[in-house]
Amino acid sequence: MKRNEAEGLLKQTFGFEHFFDEQWDVIKRLLNGERVLLIERTGFGKSLCYQFPATLWEGITVIFSPLIALMRDQVKSLNAKGISARYINSEQSEEENTQAIQDALNGKIKILYIAPERQENQEWQEAVRSMKLSMIVIDEAHTISVWGHDFRPAFRRIIHLVNLLPKHMPVLATTATATLRVQQDIERQIGGDLQTVRGSLMRDNFHLYVVETQSEEEKMIALAHWMNRLPGTGLIYTGTRVQTELYARWLEHNGISCIAYNAGLPSEQRKEIEQGLMENRWKCIISTNALGMGIDKPDIRFIIHTQIPASPIHYYQEIGRAGRDGKPTVAILFYNSLKDADGIPEDYKLPKSFIESARPSIQTYQRVIDLLKAEPLGIQDLIRKTNLKQTPIRVIKADLIEQGIIKEVVYNKHKIYEYQFGAPALDSTGFEALRIAKLKDLDKMIEYIYTSEPRMKFLCEYLGDPHTKIYKGCDNTDLVKRHVYAKEEDWQYIREFQINYFPQLEVESKKTNIINGVAGAYYGTSNVGTSIHRCKYENGGMFPDMLLKTVLRAYRKQWGSQTFDIILYVPPTVSGDLVKDFAYRLGRVLSIPVHDWLQKSHPTEPQKIFQNHVLKRDNVTDAFTLSDAVEGKSILLVDDIFDSGATIKEIGRMLTQAGATKIAPLVIAKTVGGDDL
């Protein structure tokens, strides 16, 4: 097909007049049955490189993508153009996913998006062998490389499928972020006569700033000063889920419209916030880096990082979610350079801890191997027997399968993993090499902060962009450096906010009458945790009045003058009468009767010894009884520490069954940790 003929079809189907030269180069290669790796900046139009040829073939184009938001947006857009497209991912029910597979088998779909993890589904594995495939696309292809910034072991299955394809079936791998090392790894894995097309990564509409601070509070003060001066709407990225909530409440306190987003929110709530982003409902969304990937919004005007990313490649990708329309876009990176007693900057610690904990210890790998030597086990069994969270179990499982030490089998429609007798010993040399490489990448991020050269030049060279250009648009070239100027009234204002900021307890459920509650403070970010620990574990006496005053402020802010019929307290595991005494003192101040009606039906272990939600839930299931009736009563439920919420939720379930009309949790402190289940 000639270019002018193709562009006639392009306008007719997609509404565009012309291809970019590099787009046409890729499309022409695919139409000739070639394999192509396309490395192009975000916003270039990589999706058109596979969507257009997909419409020309009789068979189905399968696109592997880790981005659910991208699937949702692109399928909606394709269907609106009259192109039959569907997706398969965890956002849909099993019935919907099964129907998508059946439609693909029946030739009713031209383009099918699928999350790579879904390849582990037996139904998919059997169906794909019978599909009339015309092309395979690997979107975000850096995820198949162990050296990539977002490597996911399950994505290696894509390569197994590619290796089974006929020699002349086109394959396209796309990414906006690949160093030369990652590029070479992708080329090796895909194999065949692969051609790499690497475009310019220059984003000359960006205004790049680095702002050095001496505290988290200085970042917060700067945002309060600058936010309404920034153009349009944008994203603020934080390092943890806790910080998304903290920054959102702070900006709201300053009259700035915003909302917090993280992967821990329910799916429907995340989708609602994503839709709000598209509609510019807020000045900004405060998020972990979970938001923005795959969302087709060209006019995000600013990206702000309150925590340094793990590498320049992470940073380039995250700021690349903005300014896709080519108009001026601001990217600000805050960096707390204050050093601890060991000389380590505060903002270096979090990404370093993520790198160090990315892979479990060799002893943990061996524990899993020993368990599987004894008997085949499924994921949930391994979680229970190892006391590990789901993420490290999945990492270990993928590595052991990769090395041929275990294999996955299906038994009674359930996936289990069994040891391969005579298997090689675990080879951990690659783990250490990867850890060292990632630490070097983090050090490169520190270099970016302190570089005196143009910032976009630094990023492009790190990413292996061979093009030479004139670089501007940063605080090292033609832009004035930004500094934080905090006055005494700023410090007083933020102290008042901190005193009156209370973490929310997200526990509401359609199946129970429990409502979202509140904590007096975060356990690990104030002297509250120190006081609780001293009383519980160091014979420090009853909880001090300081904690009572903090919790009373939280109660009054959350529920105002609202009253409850009774107060119940969570019976102790190791804390004796601490919570009981605290509840009675609270009841006297609030003039709400306190009762000892909640009791243990059997002994439980301290929740903090369990590392995953499965064991925490098992520990407290059916562990509580009631000694009196609560039917028709509204209950204030008091405890000292909220962690996974398993205890509060179990008691809420039991009280609902007993007829309580409302259960409101009130605790002294909420832990800053989270659970990945």
Side-chain angles (χ1 to χ4, degrees):
M1 180 178 288
K2 293 183 179 179
R3 181 168 179 171
N4 62 346
E5 182 185 356
E7 288 181 337
L9 293 173
L10 175 71
K11 183 174 182 180
Q12 181 180 330
T13 306
F14 292 90
F16 299 120
E17 294 285 344
H18 302 288
F19 294 112
F20 299 135
D21 289 343
E22 285 171 338
Q23 283 178 324
W24 175 243
D25 180 32
V26 171
I27 290 169
K28 186 170 61 174
R29 291 177 184 276
L30 294 173
L31 292 175
N32 288 333
E34 297 180 27
R35 295 184 173 188
V36 180
L37 168 60
L38 174 62
I39 304 171
E40 271 287 2
R41 68 186 184 278
T42 302
F44 164 81
K46 294 186 288 295
S47 60
L48 194 62
C49 293
Y50 54 79
Q51 289 178 354
F52 177 78
T55 64
L56 305 180
W57 289 310
E58 288 185 10
I60 185 170
T61 292
V62 174
I63 301 155
F64 292 99
S65 173
L67 309 177
I68 291 178
L70 176 139
M71 294 186 195
R72 196 188 314 126
D73 289 348
Q74 293 200 358
V75 165
K76 182 179 178 181
S77 175
L78 287 165
N79 289 336
K81 293 178 174 69
I83 302 167
S84 178
R86 294 286 299 276
Y87 57 74
I88 299 172
N89 60 40
S90 59
E91 191 174 87
Q92 295 189 140
S93 68
E94 287 304 315
E95 291 76 16
E96 289 173 313
N97 286 329
T98 294
Q99 187 60 54
I101 290 174
Q102 197 58 49
D103 287 347
L105 288 169
N106 293 336
K108 296 180 179 179
I109 298 175
K110 186 62 69 174
I111 296 177
L112 178 64
Y113 291 82
I114 179 169
E117 289 89 351
R118 297 294 304 184
Q119 294 177 99
E120 298 182 2
N121 180 277
Q122 188 73 16
E123 183 183 20
W124 166 260
Q125 292 173 18
E126 293 173 1
V128 72
R129 298 190 188 102
S130 303
M131 288 181 188
K132 186 177 181 181
L133 299 174
S134 57
M135 178 167 62
I136 294 293
V137 179
I138 309 169
D139 195 27
E140 305 295 327
H142 53 270
T143 52
I144 68 173
S145 171
V146 70
W147 306 106
H149 64 283
D150 191 23
F151 170 63
R152 305 191 190 187
F155 290 21
R156 287 283 179 89
R157 282 184 179 270
I158 304 171
I159 300 303
H160 300 331
L161 174 60
V162 168
N163 290 337
L164 296 174
L165 296 175
K167 184 177 180 181
H168 295 295
M169 179 175 289
V171 175
L172 174 64
T174 73
T175 178
T177 44
T179 61
L180 185 59
R181 186 177 199 175
V182 172
Q183 173 186 326
Q184 292 169 344
D185 190 22
I186 296 171
E187 291 169 342
R188 177 188 61 79
Q189 289 192 59
I190 294 177
D193 188 19
L194 179 72
Q195 301 297 317
T196 296
V197 177
R198 181 185 272 274
S200 170
L201 299 178
M202 175 69 176
R203 302 291 298 273
D204 53 14
N205 60 318
F206 275 30
H207 295 170
L208 302 176
Y209 299 89
V210 172
V211 180
E212 197 170 343
T213 73
Q214 294 291 298
S215 68
E216 201 71 17
E217 286 80 3
E218 284 190 0
K219 300 175 189 177
M220 296 168 73
I221 289 169
L223 287 176
H225 285 177
W226 299 344
M227 191 53 54
N228 285 326
R229 301 178 198 170
L230 291 171
T233 59
L235 305 176
I236 298 176
Y237 287 129
T238 65
T240 65
R241 294 181 185 183
V242 166
Q243 287 179 321
T244 65
E245 183 69 25
L246 174 64
Y247 274 87
R249 298 293 81 78
W250 164 248
L251 292 179
E252 284 178 348
H253 190 65
N254 283 271
I256 297 162
S257 65
C258 63
I259 195 167
Y261 178 106
N262 60 64
L265 297 176
S267 174
E268 288 304 314
Q269 190 175 351
R270 293 201 306 273
K271 282 193 278 187
E272 180 65 21
I273 295 174
E274 289 167 12
Q275 185 60 37
L277 169 65
M278 302 299 291
E279 298 170 359
N280 296 321
R281 288 185 208 164
W282 307 281
K283 178 67 178 179
C284 60
I285 298 177
I286 300 92
S287 174
T288 56
N289 61 9
L291 179 65
M293 285 283 286
I295 292 180
D296 186 18
K297 181 173 172 59
D299 61 342
I300 294 174
R301 289 274 68 87
F302 59 86
I303 299 276
I304 298 173
H305 284 75
T306 67
Q307 169 66 54
I308 62 168
S311 72
I313 198 166
H314 283 85
Y315 188 58
Y316 178 87
Q317 184 193 59
E318 288 162 20
I319 62 174
R321 299 168 188 175
R324 298 182 189 182
D325 56 5
K327 295 179 181 178
T329 301
V330 175
I332 299 172
L333 173 64
F334 284 104
Y335 178 62
N336 181 0
S337 61
L338 186 68
K339 296 179 179 178
D340 65 11
D342 298 320
I344 301 174
E346 288 298 324
D347 274 5
Y348 186 84
K349 294 176 182 177
L350 184 65
K352 183 174 186 291
S353 72
F354 286 157
I355 292 168
E356 296 286 8
S357 62
R359 261 197 168 80
S361 68
I362 301 305
Q363 291 80 5
T364 305
Y365 274 86
Q366 194 58 52
R367 183 155 37 117
V368 172
I369 292 171
D370 291 342
L371 285 168
L372 294 178
K373 279 183 178 180
E375 60 177 326
L377 296 168
I379 290 289
Q380 294 298 308
D381 297 320
L382 285 169
I383 286 172
R384 284 189 168 91
K385 288 178 178 289
T386 59
N387 191 20
L388 292 172
K389 293 183 179 182
Q390 181 169 271
T391 297
I393 285 291
R394 290 192 180 280
V395 169
I396 292 170
K397 176 206 72 173
D399 286 336
L400 296 182
I401 290 175
E402 184 79 15
Q403 295 191 23
I405 297 172
I406 66 172
K407 71 175 181 179
E408 177 185 290
V409 297
V410 177
Y411 181 72
N412 287 339
K413 297 184 178 180
H414 295 287
K415 282 184 291 186
I416 59 173
Y417 303 91
E418 60 181 31
Y419 177 73
Q420 297 283 85
F421 286 97
L426 177 68
D427 181 4
S428 63
T429 54
F431 302 170
E432 181 61 14
L434 183 61
R435 187 185 71 85
I436 291 171
K438 288 187 178 297
L439 288 173
K440 287 181 179 177
D441 286 343
L442 178 57
D443 289 339
K444 275 290 184 182
M445 195 65 227
I446 303 301
E447 279 186 39
Y448 172 82
I449 288 164
Y450 290 110
T451 187
S452 58
E453 68 179 46
R455 297 195 184 278
M456 186 56 71
K457 179 175 186 287
F458 183 100
L459 294 173
C460 288
E461 289 181 352
Y462 173 83
L463 285 161
D465 184 349
H467 301 81
T468 56
K469 311 169 193 68
I470 297 174
Y471 294 92
K472 290 185 178 180
C474 77
D475 53 8
N476 285 338
T477 55
D478 56 329
L479 301 179
V480 177
K481 288 189 179 295
R482 289 175 176 262
H483 300 280
V484 182
Y485 298 105
K487 300 177 181 178
E488 179 54 38
E489 52 262 38
D490 293 319
W491 291 110
Q492 183 177 343
Y493 194 60
I494 200 167
R495 281 192 291 268
E496 290 173 359
F497 164 77
Q498 289 170 331
I499 290 172
N500 293 287
Y501 170 69
F502 305 108
Q504 298 294 294
L505 311 180
E506 304 286 343
V507 293
E508 282 186 5
S509 166
K510 293 179 181 178
K511 297 180 180 180
T512 70
N513 293 333
I514 195 167
I515 64 173
N516 289 339
V518 67
Y522 279 111
Y523 187 88
T525 57
S526 66
N527 60 355
V528 169
T530 304
S531 297
I532 294 174
H533 190 278
R534 184 169 58 248
C535 296
K536 287 187 71 165
Y537 305 111
E538 300 173 12
N539 297 317
M542 293 301 170
F543 291 135
D545 286 343
M546 174 269 292
L547 296 183
L548 181 63
K549 291 175 182 177
T550 298
V551 171
L552 283 167
R553 287 201 309 274
Y555 171 90
R556 286 167 179 144
K557 184 172 182 181
Q558 183 80 359
W559 292 299
S561 58
Q562 186 178 159
T563 59
F564 293 85
D565 296 326
I566 60 171
I567 292 176
L568 298 180
Y569 58 88
V570 177
T573 302
V574 296
S575 58
D577 288 335
L578 283 173
V579 177
K580 177 180 178 179
D581 173 80
F582 188 84
Y584 272 95
R585 287 153 61 198
L586 190 71
R588 284 194 292 271
V589 176
L590 296 175
S591 299
I592 303 173
V594 182
H595 296 290
D596 308 329
W597 296 346
L598 265 179
Q599 297 163 3
K600 289 276 186 73
S601 59
H602 61 77
T604 59
E605 297 293 334
Q607 287 287 66
K608 71 174 187 176
I609 72 172
F610 301 112
Q611 298 302 307
N612 62 66
H613 183 70
V614 171
L615 291 180
K616 289 179 179 182
R617 185 187 61 215
D618 289 352
N619 184 46
V620 296
T621 297
D622 296 325
F624 303 96
T625 61
L626 273 170
S627 62
D628 213 321
V630 294
E631 187 172 357
K633 295 189 181 299
S634 61
I635 300 169
L636 189 65
L637 181 61
V638 175
D639 202 2
D640 52 0
I641 299 172
F642 181 96
D643 180 31
S644 69
T647 301
I648 292 289
K649 290 173 185 176
E650 171 62 17
I651 293 174
R653 181 190 66 81
M654 194 233 350
L655 291 174
T656 299
Q657 288 181 345
T661 56
K662 181 167 66 176
I663 305 106
L666 177 66
V667 303
I668 302 173
K670 178 182 179 181
T671 62
V672 295
D675 197 277
D676 63 357
L677 279 178

